[in-house]
Amino acid sequence: MELMIIKEKLTSPSFIRSVTENIEDWIIGFSQQDQNKKNIQSWFDSVIHQFIYILDDVEVKEELSVLLFSKYVELKCYWKQLNTQIQYQNFNKGEADPELIIKASLTTYILIALEPMIHDEDLNEIQEFLTKPIRELILEESSTENHQNPSEDSQLYLLEQQLHALYYDKEKLFHRLHCNDVKDVIELIKNMREQIKDLQSEMEHSCVLDGQIRFTGKRKIRIQKI
């Protein structure tokens, strides 16, 4: 893992543009003041800059990978904490603190940016560990010894953690596809398939001669000797 690759992921124009658009949508959607926007932007910048500041002092590739892994786990735990608080605020008060909502959303952007640089097996282990509560693990061990079933409380907690994971997947879909509704995703896939079929049909009779002369599409060419 090279330092420049990590920096590029977190400072690229496309990443910054997506973050800015997200904050702008939050300002409009939750009727926030300019000062709130500045505070959130400052918070987000500090998260990125502090991480890069640590990376700048590390030269060994293996250590960079460890730091990347650690930061991902840290942010994923932080996102789960925010998401839990948001859900309880919605349940108890009917609405959640807008600042918590935007922080959770922006944390998702960082997680999505870091994910491609972490091995799939490591991501699966992190997800499995964070989705399965410690209490559930303890109960599984005790049930093996005492043949006891998990309590209802632990099952409820497990369902809550699964809900957190689904919420994260929804955020990820919105970030990647700009839609998170099932119908919209299905429609998007159908449109992509139609575009592929049209392209295949257009290029069906294509050929290349001598690597330079190209005939593309459903076209007929007649060669006549003079």
Side-chain angles (χ1 to χ4, degrees), residues 8 20 26 63 67 70 111 133-134 142 188 192 199 209 214:
E8 172 63 24
T20 302
W26 172 73
E63 289 296 336
L67 286 174
S70 301
L111 290 170
I134 299 299
S142 63
L188 179 63
M192 291 176 65
L199 182 60
L209 300 179
R214 300 184 180 185

Side-chain angles (χ1 to χ4, degrees), residues 39-198:
N39 293 340
I40 289 299
Q41 187 67 60
S42 177
W43 167 82
F44 181 81
D45 291 341
S46 67
V47 174
I48 299 296
H49 293 159
Q50 286 175 9
F51 182 42
I52 293 178
Y53 177 74
I54 296 174
L55 296 176
D56 282 333
D57 288 333
V58 180
E59 298 179 355
V60 182
K61 290 184 178 181
E62 288 75 11
E63 289 296 336
L64 286 173
S65 297
V66 172
L67 286 174
L68 180 66
F69 182 90
S70 301
K71 174 57 68 172
Y72 182 86
V73 173
E74 174 191 337
L75 291 174
K76 195 64 181 285
C77 290
Y78 179 62
W79 177 87
K80 289 176 70 66
Q81 293 171 19
L82 290 173
N83 189 39
T84 300
Q85 189 175 4
I86 289 170
Q87 290 190 37
Y88 273 94
Q89 284 187 357
N90 281 326
F91 180 78
N92 294 325
K93 303 177 181 179
E95 60 180 5
D97 184 349
E99 183 175 323
L100 298 179
I101 294 174
I102 188 60
K103 284 186 175 181
S105 182
L106 293 178
T107 302
T108 302
Y109 276 70
I110 305 176
L111 290 170
I112 293 173
L114 298 181
E115 279 184 357
M117 296 181 285
I118 301 176
H119 197 279
D120 288 341
E121 291 183 1
D122 292 333
L123 289 174
N124 291 334
E125 289 183 5
I126 294 172
Q127 182 65 23
E128 182 178 356
F129 172 75
L130 294 179
T131 314
K132 200 166 191 177
I134 299 299
R135 186 190 303 178
E136 188 74 8
L137 294 174
I138 296 174
L139 282 170
E140 282 186 357
E141 293 178 358
S142 63
S143 64
T144 302
E145 298 175 357
N146 304 323
H147 304 287
Q148 296 177 350
N149 294 323
S151 66
E152 292 183 0
D153 288 343
S154 65
Q155 293 177 355
L156 177 60
Y157 187 72
L158 179 59
L159 289 175
E160 289 178 349
Q161 297 306 305
Q162 292 174 343
L163 180 61
H164 296 339
L166 290 174
Y167 184 79
Y168 176 74
D169 291 339
K170 184 178 180 181
E171 285 271 355
K172 192 171 183 179
L173 276 175
F174 181 77
H175 176 68
R176 293 286 176 86
L177 303 179
H178 300 290
C179 61
N180 49 27
D181 185 84
V182 176
K183 294 181 180 179
D184 293 338
V185 174
I186 293 175
E187 189 64 29
L188 179 63
I189 294 175
K190 287 182 178 179
N191 291 336
M192 291 176 65
R193 286 177 176 172
E194 290 299 324
Q195 293 178 27
I196 293 174
K197 288 181 180 179
D198 292 341

Side-chain angles (χ1 to χ4, degrees), residues 209-225:
L209 300 179
D210 298 329
Q212 295 180 348
I213 304 175
R214 300 184 180 185
F215 302 93
T216 59
K218 296 181 178 179
R219 302 166 184 167
K220 292 182 179 180
I221 298 177
R222 179 179 298 174
I223 301 177
Q224 191 174 21
K225 291 185 177 181

